[in-house]
Amino acid sequence: MNHVERRDRELVYISDDAVFEEQKIARRLTQRLNSADRSDFDEIKKIVHELLGKSDDTTFINPPFYCDYGTHIEVGKNFYANYNCTMLDVGRIRIGDNVFMAPNVAIYTAGHPVHPATRNTLYEYGIDITIGNNVWIGGNTVICPGVTIGDNTVIGAGSVVTKDIPAWTVAAGNPCRVIREITEDDRRRHFAGREIDEEAWQDILRIQKEDADAGKYPRRD
């Protein structure tokens, strides 16, 4: 079994010449992306679509952005990543619909053995990460190998996510832990429990009805 095959089966592997050849493709594309005119949104979308393994015209990433392969990243509809996002996609990174990432989010599927004698042989690994639908990841969050984040969840800024986080929760901290559930009381709230004003609320109700009619509305199934 060669090292590309080992990597793709979540086995330990070495980044040999064949692995580096695959990485060169992503490095060329991220260089184009990160040097593109920041006001040319169409060109940015085009490069992102070329880079990622799965995306559509609703995907947007604010450069700079960094990844190892790009082809190991799959995003759903309405994906948005803000400035300085890094995805070490040695393993697969699967992201659902309507996922928002604040600046400086880091998603690391990659890792190394703990024991130095083993680590110094240059064997490493990549373990898949899954992020569900309707998830908001706060700024400066780190997501570690093997983690799954459930649907409709919020990860607070500065979190280090080392274990799975269930759906419909607010979680934060280092290590990241569930703080509370998301409930109906949150529906008309924004920052620190402040109530959304009536004008915006009526517009939100209109948008929510359209989404519900289209089958997009997040429900507790």
Side-chain angles (χ1 to χ4, degrees):
M1 193 184 308
N2 64 44
H3 286 290
V4 170
E5 293 169 334
R6 295 186 62 85
R7 179 201 65 200
D8 292 348
R9 296 185 186 188
E10 295 188 329
L11 301 173
V12 294
Y13 76 100
I14 290 176
S15 290
D16 61 6
D17 289 344
V19 172
F20 281 129
E21 282 301 313
E22 291 189 351
Q23 290 185 6
K24 285 180 182 179
I25 298 170
R27 293 189 183 208
R28 294 186 189 105
L29 287 170
T30 52
Q31 183 172 339
R32 280 176 54 200
L33 175 63
N34 295 335
S35 61
D37 181 344
R38 301 300 169 86
S39 67
D40 191 343
F41 300 141
D42 289 338
E43 178 65 11
I44 288 171
K45 283 188 172 186
K46 178 182 175 182
I47 299 170
V48 167
H49 186 66
E50 189 176 351
L51 176 64
L52 300 188
K54 177 187 174 185
S55 65
D56 64 18
D57 60 4
T58 64
T59 297
F60 193 82
I61 295 175
N62 253 334
F65 172 75
Y66 307 96
C67 65
D68 282 331
Y69 301 95
T71 52
H72 296 173
I73 301 168
E74 300 178 1
V75 302
K77 297 177 181 177
N78 302 316
F79 173 74
Y80 176 79
N82 216 324
Y83 305 109
N84 208 38
C85 179
T86 298
M87 298 190 190
L88 299 188
D89 57 326
V90 174
R92 298 283 169 178
I93 298 174
R94 299 181 178 90
I95 299 172
D97 296 338
N98 306 310
V99 172
F100 307 151
M101 295 183 179
N104 301 308
V105 168
I107 302 176
Y108 301 149
T109 69
H112 303 270
V114 171
H115 197 287
T118 306
R119 185 169 61 249
N120 291 342
T121 65
L122 301 184
Y123 269 91
E124 56 187 301
Y125 60 83
I127 308 297
D128 297 355
I129 289 173
T130 301
I131 298 172
N133 299 315
N134 311 304
V135 173
W136 176 23
I137 309 292
N140 294 292
T141 291
V142 175
I143 302 173
C144 295
V147 162
T148 294
I149 296 174
D151 294 345
N152 311 309
T153 286
V154 175
I155 306 296
S159 296
V160 179
V161 188
T162 60
K163 295 182 179 179
D164 293 354
I165 302 295
W168 286 99
T169 59
V170 175
N174 180 9
C176 188
R177 296 183 177 90
V178 173
I179 296 172
R180 65 176 179 87
E181 291 187 352
I182 295 172
T183 71
E184 282 299 303
D185 290 340
D186 294 300
R187 188 177 291 273
R188 194 171 172 171
R189 305 291 179 185
H190 62 107
F191 177 72
R194 297 182 186 182
E195 187 171 278
I196 295 169
D197 66 273
E198 186 63 24
E199 180 181 4
W201 181 242
Q202 291 304 315
D203 195 40
I204 287 169
L205 290 176
R206 175 189 61 80
I207 295 168
Q208 288 178 343
K209 184 178 186 304
E210 292 174 356
D211 286 349
D213 291 344
K216 298 178 181 179
Y217 199 81
R219 300 184 301 270
R220 291 178 182 268
D221 296 325

